[in-house]
Amino acid sequence: MSDHTDSPFPSDTVEVHLDTESLLTAAAARFVSVVVAAQAERGAASVVLTGGGTGIALLEQVRKSPGGIDWSRLEVFWGDERFVPAGDPERNDLQARQALLDHVPVDPARVHPVAASDGEYPDPVEAAAEYSAAVHAYLTEHGAFDLHLLGMGGEGHVNSLFPHTDAVREEHELVVAVTDSPKPPSVRVTLTLPAVQRSRHVVLVVGGAAKAEAVAAAIGGADPLEIPAAGATGIDSTTWLLDQEAAAALR
């Protein structure tokens, strides 16, 4: 793993952008720069994608300006997935494919979706175990993910790690099933904070006034059990990309 001095990126950064468009442009540029640098250094790269409106809009922006990414040498994971049937439009996997992955020459063998509820693993605990095996196999060989993208909810959740839940308390497992998500659908599979922290670069992309207080709390060092985003830190860098509304409560 690289240490901080080897990284071309600062260890902890907060960037405030004028509006949603400039926020997404900056986030897409960050995606490209981290992936290109990782491929130059190690020959291949890995990204952990996030869903939600901002996460999918970010992928659409990357599709427009892919820079020098070698898509055939990119490993793709997801930070969480709604445990619904394969064709359900709520699936992060499906949305990411429509926004980006179906339009670039990724190697299907390097794309690692979470099992769907109507697939080979209809039990979410079994689906989490299967996904955990893929995550462990990758991290055992490569040490860390290169880039973990995250959005954040108004109460501070990242992936499907909500405040005061068993999933955000998890200290050992890299992937767990969530059966009581306060945000529907209630059943999900998620990477945990220990998995997020096995990422060289963590980038949180957050917009909107409704998230300003949680942003300020997370950046200010809140307890991750209260504000899960506070525990989303990278090995080499942690970057908050915010619009002005999301940054409004920062001091």
Side-chain angles (χ1 to χ4, degrees):
M1 292 180 200
S2 301
D3 62 29
H4 294 270
T5 57
D6 292 334
S7 173
F9 306 103
S11 61
D12 200 352
T13 303
V14 177
E15 295 182 11
V16 180
H17 297 275
L18 182 64
D19 52 25
T20 300
E21 182 179 357
S22 57
L23 173 64
L24 292 173
T25 298
R30 178 71 175 185
F31 180 112
V32 172
S33 66
V34 172
V35 170
V36 169
Q39 290 181 335
E41 182 177 348
R42 290 179 288 279
S46 56
V47 297
V48 183
L49 302 181
T50 185
T54 300
I56 298 306
L58 162 58
L59 298 184
E60 292 173 342
Q61 189 67 32
V62 172
R63 176 183 166 190
K64 296 174 186 174
S65 304
I69 292 175
D70 181 344
W71 296 103
S72 70
R73 294 186 294 128
L74 184 67
E75 300 272 347
V76 180
F77 294 85
W78 277 263
D80 71 331
E81 185 57 273
R82 298 152 177 150
F83 199 59
V84 293
D88 193 306
E90 290 241 306
R91 267 183 68 85
N92 292 333
D93 165 37
L94 182 61
Q95 293 179 21
R97 291 177 188 277
Q98 292 172 341
L100 175 64
L101 300 179
D102 285 348
H103 308 278
V104 293
V106 290
D107 178 353
R110 293 183 181 230
V111 178
H112 308 280
V114 177
S117 64
D118 59 348
E120 189 177 351
Y121 301 95
D123 182 319
V125 174
E126 292 180 354
E130 188 267 343
Y131 200 57
S132 181
V135 168
H136 273 281
Y138 180 82
L139 293 177
T140 297
E141 182 175 355
H142 299 280
F145 298 118
D146 290 301
L147 173 63
H148 198 310
L149 296 168
L150 291 166
M152 188 194 75
E155 80 295 72
H157 88 267
V158 290
N159 289 339
S160 287
L161 304 172
F162 293 87
H164 303 293
T165 59
D166 289 342
V168 79
R169 293 187 191 99
E170 179 59 50
E171 296 180 355
H172 304 291
E173 296 294 336
L174 300 181
V175 182
V176 296
V178 173
T179 57
D180 56 353
S181 167
K183 182 178 179 181
S186 61
V187 182
R188 298 156 177 250
V189 172
T190 186
L191 267 62
T192 61
L193 289 179
V196 175
Q197 293 162 5
R198 293 283 297 273
S199 308
R200 293 183 176 91
H201 304 285
V202 170
V203 178
L204 299 102
V205 186
V206 186
K211 302 178 182 181
E213 293 299 328
V215 165
I219 293 173
D223 183 343
L225 297 183
E226 301 271 350
I227 305 287
T233 56
I235 297 164
D236 289 347
S237 74
T238 305
T239 304
W240 287 82
L241 301 180
L242 309 171
D243 67 9
Q244 288 189 326
E245 290 185 337
L250 293 176
R251 300 290 183 262

